[in-house]
Amino acid sequence: MRAEERSGWFLTAPFVTFLLAFAVYPILFALVLVFLHWDLVTAPSLAGFDNVRLLANDARFWRSVANTFVFLAIHLPLQIATALALALALNRPLVFRAFWRAAFFLPVVISGAVVAILWSSLYATDVGLFNQLLTRIGLSPVPWLTDPRTAMPAIAVMVTWKNVGFYVIIYLAGLQYIPRSCQEAIEIEGVSPWQRFRHLTLPSLLPQTILVVTLSTINGFQLFIEPYVMTGGGPLRRTYSIVLYLYTNAFSYQKMGYAATIGVALALMIGLVVAIQRRVLGTAEAL
C-alpha cells in the first residue's frame, strides 16, 4: 500500500470509527432487539415476531401515530408560512436588522425543556399570560393544555415558535440567490407585490421549501420534550407522541425489545412520508 493510501485511511479512521460506533452499531442493535424480550435486568430471550404482532394490535401506539400526524398537519403549514413571512420581512432594509435576525434565531439554541416550562406558564389556565389577555378583552379563559381539543395545537404553536428561526435562515439564504436582474425586470412590468411574490419569489424558493418541509417533518416525528414536560401525554392521551410512547415502554416498562420495534417502525414511517413529500414537491419543482 502506498504512503498516500495509508495516509488516507489514517485520516478517515476517526470518522469511520465514529460512524461504526454511533450509527451502524445502534441501528444493527435495534434491529436485533426487535426479535428479543429484554427488560435491562434479566438476560434477553428470543421473542420471534411477538413484538411486531403486539405493535400491529397496540391501540396506544396507533393513537400516538394519529397524534403525531395531527401535530404535523398543524405544524408544517404554520412553520412554512411563519418562516417565509419573517424571512421576507427580515430581507428588507430594517433598523437593527442583524439584531432582529439574531433575536428570531435565539429560541433555536435554548433548551427545549426550558422553552416548554416557559410556555407551560404562558398557557396556564388561571394565571397564564395568554388567558389574562383574553380576559382583559372580555373573552373566557381557554384551557390550552388541559382540553383534548386544544392541547396538541397549543404544542404545535410552541414548537413552531421555537424552531422558526432556523428555517428563517434557510429562506433568507434562498432570497439572497434570487437574481437582482429578475426582480428589476418584473418590477418594470408593473406587476403588483402579490404577483411578484407568486410568480418570482415563491417559485425561486421551492428548493428551500422542500428542505424546510423535509426537516420539519423529521423533527415533527421526533416530538418528545414538549409533550413530556407540558402534558405528560395527556389529556386523554391526545398529546402522546410516538417518541414519548417509545420512551415510556423503554424506561418505564423496561420493554426494550418492544421499544426498539416502535423505533424501527418510526424510522420506516419517516422514510415513507419524506419520500412521498419529496416526490410530490419534486414534481412541482420540475414543472
Side-chain angles (χ1 to χ4, degrees):
M1 183 181 293
R2 293 180 301 176
E4 293 83 357
E5 294 178 351
R6 288 196 300 268
S7 298
W9 282 109
F10 178 76
L11 292 173
T12 58
F15 174 76
V16 172
T17 303
F18 178 87
L19 184 66
L20 291 174
F22 296 101
V24 177
Y25 171 73
I27 292 173
L28 294 177
F29 186 57
L31 292 174
V32 171
L33 278 179
V34 170
F35 303 100
L36 298 176
H37 291 304
W38 186 36
D39 60 4
L40 291 176
V41 178
T42 59
S45 60
L46 188 63
F49 289 94
D50 289 350
N51 289 322
V52 178
R53 284 192 290 267
L54 178 59
L55 183 73
N57 298 284
D58 189 349
R60 292 186 178 183
F61 169 73
W62 294 111
R63 174 76 262 179
S64 69
V65 172
N67 292 338
T68 302
F69 275 98
V70 169
F71 169 81
L72 289 172
I74 301 170
H75 173 62
L76 284 179
L78 188 60
Q79 187 78 89
I80 295 169
T82 306
L84 182 55
L86 289 175
L88 291 171
L90 294 174
N91 196 48
R92 299 171 179 271
L94 299 171
V95 179
F96 303 120
R97 184 169 63 174
F99 166 78
W100 292 115
R101 289 181 175 180
F104 282 111
F105 187 77
L106 185 61
V108 177
V109 299
I110 299 177
S111 167
V114 173
V115 174
I117 293 171
L118 170 64
W119 276 75
S120 294
S121 300
L122 295 175
Y123 280 138
T125 303
D126 298 324
V127 296
L129 177 61
F130 294 150
N131 280 332
Q132 288 184 11
L133 294 175
L134 291 176
T135 303
R136 289 186 179 182
I137 62 176
L139 299 177
S140 300
V142 177
W144 299 105
L145 298 177
T146 55
D147 189 329
R149 296 170 298 179
T150 59
M152 188 58 86
I155 290 177
V157 170
M158 187 274 283
V159 174
T160 300
W161 176 86
K162 184 184 186 307
N163 296 330
V164 70
F166 177 74
Y167 302 111
V168 167
I169 290 179
I170 294 176
Y171 274 126
L172 278 173
L175 289 171
Q176 305 302 314
Y177 279 94
I178 298 178
R180 182 60 186 171
S181 58
C182 293
Q183 299 182 39
E184 293 174 349
I186 201 169
E187 288 174 1
I188 292 174
E189 296 293 330
V191 300
S192 65
W194 165 249
Q195 291 175 320
R196 182 167 64 248
F197 170 77
R198 180 181 177 183
H199 297 290
L200 175 63
T201 305
L202 203 57
S204 300
L205 292 178
L206 188 55
Q208 285 74 28
T209 300
I210 294 175
L211 179 60
V212 170
V213 169
T214 301
L215 295 179
S216 296
T217 300
I218 294 173
N219 291 331
F221 270 109
Q222 299 178 56
L223 180 70
F224 169 70
I225 294 177
E226 293 79 7
Y228 178 77
V229 173
M230 299 175 73
T231 63
L236 301 179
R237 299 188 180 274
R238 292 299 179 86
T239 61
Y240 220 89
S241 67
I242 300 175
V243 177
L244 180 56
Y245 188 54
L246 185 157
Y247 173 87
T248 302
N249 277 277
F251 299 106
S252 295
Y253 306 146
Q254 281 78 49
K255 296 180 178 179
M256 302 305 296
Y258 187 53
T261 307
I262 296 173
V264 172
L266 175 61
L268 295 175
M269 204 177 302
I270 293 174
L272 177 62
V273 172
V274 170
I276 294 173
Q277 289 176 339
R278 294 298 297 269
R279 185 174 182 84
V280 173
L281 294 174
T283 303
E285 186 178 19
L287 296 176

